[in-house]
Amino acid sequence: DALPICGVGRETEKRLCNNPAPRHGGQYCTGSDTRFSSCNTGIPCPIDGRWTEWGEWDECVRPGKKIKCESIAGQQRRKRTCEGRDHGGQACEAGSTIEVRNCYHSHFCIYPGTWTEWSDWGLCSPPCGPSTSSRQRLCKAVYPDYKTIIGIQKKSEVFFWGTPNAQCELLEGQKRKVVETKQCQNVVDCDDVLDAVG
């Protein structure tokens, strides 16, 4: 019979040496008298719950006040759920379904910007034949010098939320991104790649 466990179990079969039994000094049957095999118990196994990834942060707000592009902190929330629990499995490990933090609403706010350093050179594209590699510099916002810790008895951090509109000086005629491209050297010929695959 299959053992009373969930999912895949083990079935045991026994046989007797009686067809015929050894007599008059005859040899006992060869081979094992027991055989094990896998079986489906038909009992579903418990599945423990797992937290989903945190969702996106909600908009940063403060009831009754206009805080966009202002040095006034608001709050925002993000959520997650415990999913997948079934057949008597354990609930998700301790934790909250909602996370709250303090924030400054900086979405689309106009801030001064500064150019990043050049990024690393990217991979050659396409990977065979004549190809190029590129690197870039981006205009990144310089955030205002607002308080990053607020509170009197309980201190808490404040985060900038949103994508501001960074204003950089023109660089090679560009306002937001400068891209530099170069030809890749010693790239494999595409015909050689096809021959190798074939």
Side-chain angles (χ1 to χ4, degrees):
D1 296 328
L3 296 175
I5 58 175
C6 70
V8 177
R10 188 181 70 173
E11 192 171 46
T12 305
E13 296 177 277
K14 288 186 173 290
R15 60 181 178 176
L16 300 174
C17 183
N18 62 358
N19 189 30
R23 299 176 62 188
H24 310 302
Q27 295 292 319
Y28 194 78
C29 301
T30 59
S32 175
D33 65 347
T34 305
R35 181 171 69 178
F36 301 102
S37 59
S38 297
C39 62
N40 187 346
T41 66
I43 303 173
C45 290
I47 301 174
D48 295 340
R50 292 183 300 175
W51 288 115
T52 62
E53 295 295 325
W54 285 105
E56 296 292 327
W57 287 103
D58 293 339
E59 183 178 1
C60 182
V61 296
R62 183 164 179 171
K65 284 203 173 184
K66 176 184 175 296
I67 64 173
K68 184 174 181 179
C69 307
E70 301 286 346
S71 60
I72 303 172
Q75 285 193 331
Q76 58 185 166
R77 296 182 175 192
R78 64 177 181 175
K79 299 177 181 179
R80 64 177 179 175
T81 58
C82 179
E83 66 176 21
R85 183 185 179 192
D86 205 355
H87 306 306
Q90 297 293 317
C92 291
E93 59 188 31
S96 175
T97 58
I98 298 177
E99 188 173 44
V100 181
R101 72 176 185 180
N102 298 314
C103 52
Y104 292 118
H105 192 317
S106 62
H107 198 47
F108 293 150
C109 298
I110 298 176
Y111 293 154
T114 183
W115 289 101
T116 63
E117 297 297 322
W118 284 107
S119 66
D120 294 332
W121 286 100
L123 297 175
C124 292
S125 180
C128 65
S131 60
T132 58
S133 175
S134 63
R135 63 177 183 171
Q136 62 184 16
R137 294 181 71 178
L138 301 175
C139 177
K140 291 290 187 181
V142 177
Y143 287 92
D145 189 21
Y146 295 163
K147 292 180 179 179
T148 56
I149 302 293
I150 60 173
I152 299 176
Q153 293 182 338
K154 183 180 180 181
K155 305 290 185 180
S156 58
E157 192 172 359
V158 191
F159 300 85
F160 283 91
W161 172 80
T163 304
N165 186 357
Q167 303 289 304
C168 289
E169 293 184 3
L170 284 178
L171 180 63
E172 299 181 17
Q174 301 299 316
K175 293 182 177 181
R176 306 206 178 277
K177 180 168 69 174
V178 176
V179 179
E180 187 176 59
T181 304
K182 69 176 181 179
Q183 290 292 130
C184 293
Q185 304 295 320
N186 304 317
V187 181
V188 176
D189 189 273
C190 291
D191 290 337
D192 294 339
V193 174
L194 291 174
D195 291 341
V197 173

